[in-house]
Amino acid sequence: MSTKKNKTYTEEELFDRKVRRRTIRSFLIFFLLFFLAFQAWKWIDNAPKDKKASKPLRTVMDLNARIFARGYKNPSLAKEFSKSTAARKVRVNGNIGLKSTYDTTDYKVKLVRYSPYTPKLSDTLYIPVSELMLLPKTEVVFSFKCIEGWSQVSWWGGVRFLDVAKKYHLATIDGSEPDPENHPEKLCKFAGLKTPDGQYYVGIDMPSMLHPQTILSFEVNGNPLPENQGAPIRLIIPVKYGIKHLKRIGTIFFSQTPPPDYWADRGYDYFSGL
Ligand SMILES: Nc1nc2c(c(=O)[nH]1)N[C@H]1C(S)=C(S)[C@@H](COP(=O)(O)O)O[C@H]1N2
Ligand SMILES: [Mo]
């Protein structure tokens, strides 16, 4: 037996050997992983391209997109709920412009086409609510949000403002039928709405006004609107906070500059989008 084999190590020597072994192993693992990472990077970099990104990256990006699409179906649409989840007792908030008397038998909405020059008589239409109701009925169940901090799922019925604008040639600078898809350049930039007495008023950007969920509403929970919720017709615009949902529409007009807005005049955000 050699003396070397029988050599007994001191505790300190044993510890040193252990540290050396571990250090070498760590470095080997480090270089191996570095090498693998480098190879992977080279593989991704040399891979064929798919829509301007290398294919492996594109695959991961597409996967991410699919995962996120599950959570956000159409980011431009407000989330809709089932009618059974809608509040039976719909909250009432704000009654500015609802105190004056109004025509309850033959209510007409004043629609003013955009007229940059001298307004002509033919540019102003007085349309009975009963006539607006002939358009296809659209219902929306969404979470109504007030800047005061409350929200409530509620169910409204009415007609799409887009349909109204198409029928009466509103919202365009030249009186043509609005075609947001093909001729956005012909659209006015803003719509303004007022109560019959002019006490409450809002300004709305045109993309929000022509949004598919924006309706002139005459029903809540399948019943005609009560007075305090804007009878006979109000605005429901799910992409906006409650302040923009003007109750009892007297006039709708169009403009290239932001129309006056009751709460914006008092310091709130003009856009008030959600
Ligand atoms: N004419 C009119 N419309 C109005 C208001 C108002 O005071 N007057 N308040 C607004 C605000 S702040 C909110 S939150 C909603 C409330 O609608 P609701 O009463 O149907 O809940 O109406 C909006 N429309
Ligand atoms: Mo509100």
Side-chain angles (χ1 to χ4, degrees), residues 105-167:
T105 50
D106 185 28
Y107 193 91
K108 294 186 178 81
V109 178
K110 184 177 172 184
L111 300 173
V112 188
R113 291 201 183 105
Y114 179 70
S115 180
Y117 313 109
T118 320
K120 288 168 272 160
L121 201 59
S122 63
D123 286 329
T124 300
L125 312 169
Y126 294 88
I127 308 296
V129 170
S130 53
E131 190 179 309
L132 293 174
M133 286 177 171
L134 299 176
L135 286 162
K137 192 163 136 182
T138 303
E139 291 182 290
V140 60
V141 186
F142 75 106
S143 176
F144 194 110
K145 293 189 176 74
C146 174
I147 42 164
E148 285 170 13
W150 56 268
S151 73
Q152 187 183 50
V153 173
S154 49
W155 159 28
W156 307 87
V159 290
R160 271 200 185 105
F161 180 70
L162 178 61
D163 293 341
V164 175
K166 283 193 166 161
K167 175 158 179 187

Side-chain angles (χ1 to χ4, degrees), residues 3-10 13:
T3 48
K4 207 177 181 190
K5 240 190 181 169
N6 285 339
K7 184 178 178 196
T8 49
Y9 297 102
T10 64
E13 281 171 328

Side-chain angles (χ1 to χ4, degrees), residues 9-273:
Y9 297 102
T10 64
E11 198 131 303
E12 207 172 324
E13 281 171 328
L14 275 172
F15 182 75
D16 279 350
R17 279 165 68 99
K18 212 166 164 184
V19 167
R20 203 171 312 128
R21 259 202 320 270
R22 287 201 178 173
T23 307
I24 290 166
R25 187 159 10 112
S26 297
F27 267 103
L28 284 177
I29 291 170
F30 171 77
F31 282 116
L32 184 71
L33 288 179
F34 184 83
F35 176 75
L36 286 177
F38 182 74
Q39 289 300 313
W41 173 73
K42 254 183 33 190
W43 174 70
I44 290 171
D45 204 41
N46 295 334
K49 301 260 185 275
D50 178 6
K51 285 172 274 168
K52 299 210 167 152
S54 91
K55 221 165 183 162
L57 290 182
R58 173 63 59 200
T59 307
V60 174
M61 285 192 280
D62 285 349
L63 179 69
N64 281 343
R66 276 208 303 284
I67 291 168
F68 279 98
R70 254 171 227 217
Y72 310 90
K73 281 226 159 51
N74 182 342
S76 69
L77 284 182
K79 185 174 157 63
E80 296 224 23
F81 298 79
S82 74
K83 283 177 186 168
S84 61
T85 62
R88 313 253 99 231
K89 225 176 158 290
V90 183
R91 196 164 167 159
V92 175
N93 202 53
N95 64 349
I96 305 153
L98 301 182
K99 288 158 247 171
S100 325
T101 52
Y102 68 101
D103 186 351
T104 47
T105 50
D106 185 28
Y107 193 91
K108 294 186 178 81
V109 178
K110 184 177 172 184
L111 300 173
V112 188
R113 291 201 183 105
Y114 179 70
S115 180
Y117 313 109
T118 320
K120 288 168 272 160
L121 201 59
S122 63
D123 286 329
T124 300
L125 312 169
Y126 294 88
I127 308 296
V129 170
S130 53
E131 190 179 309
L132 293 174
M133 286 177 171
L134 299 176
L135 286 162
K137 192 163 136 182
T138 303
E139 291 182 290
V140 60
V141 186
F142 75 106
S143 176
F144 194 110
K145 293 189 176 74
C146 174
I147 42 164
E148 285 170 13
W150 56 268
S151 73
Q152 187 183 50
V153 173
S154 49
W155 159 28
W156 307 87
V159 290
R160 271 200 185 105
F161 180 70
L162 178 61
D163 293 341
V164 175
K166 283 193 166 161
K167 175 158 179 187
Y168 298 103
H169 287 209
L170 308 173
T172 48
I173 48 175
D174 58 357
S176 60
E177 185 179 324
D179 183 359
E181 298 266 300
N182 304 309
H183 290 290
E185 78 286 354
K186 287 191 181 175
L187 298 176
C188 298
K189 292 202 171 74
F190 294 93
L193 293 88
K194 293 189 280 195
T195 52
D197 65 4
Q199 296 288 304
Y200 197 77
Y201 44 93
V202 297
I204 312 273
D205 57 281
M206 199 52 75
S208 299
M209 198 62 196
L210 298 179
H211 185 278
Q213 289 169 309
T214 298
I215 61 175
L216 304 187
S217 168
F218 40 79
E219 279 179 9
V220 59
N221 280 333
N223 299 311
L225 285 186
E227 298 233 335
N228 57 12
Q229 297 206 286
I233 195 159
R234 73 174 299 173
L235 181 67
I236 287 293
I237 182 160
V239 294
K240 299 284 189 194
Y241 272 106
I243 45 176
K244 296 286 189 182
H245 298 229
L246 181 131
K247 298 192 272 191
R248 191 167 304 146
I249 302 167
T251 305
I252 305 180
F253 64 98
F254 306 92
S255 152
Q256 294 299 73
T257 52
D261 185 276
Y262 186 91
W263 285 110
D265 285 349
R266 285 153 184 81
Y268 285 84
D269 172 41
Y270 191 91
F271 193 67
S272 287

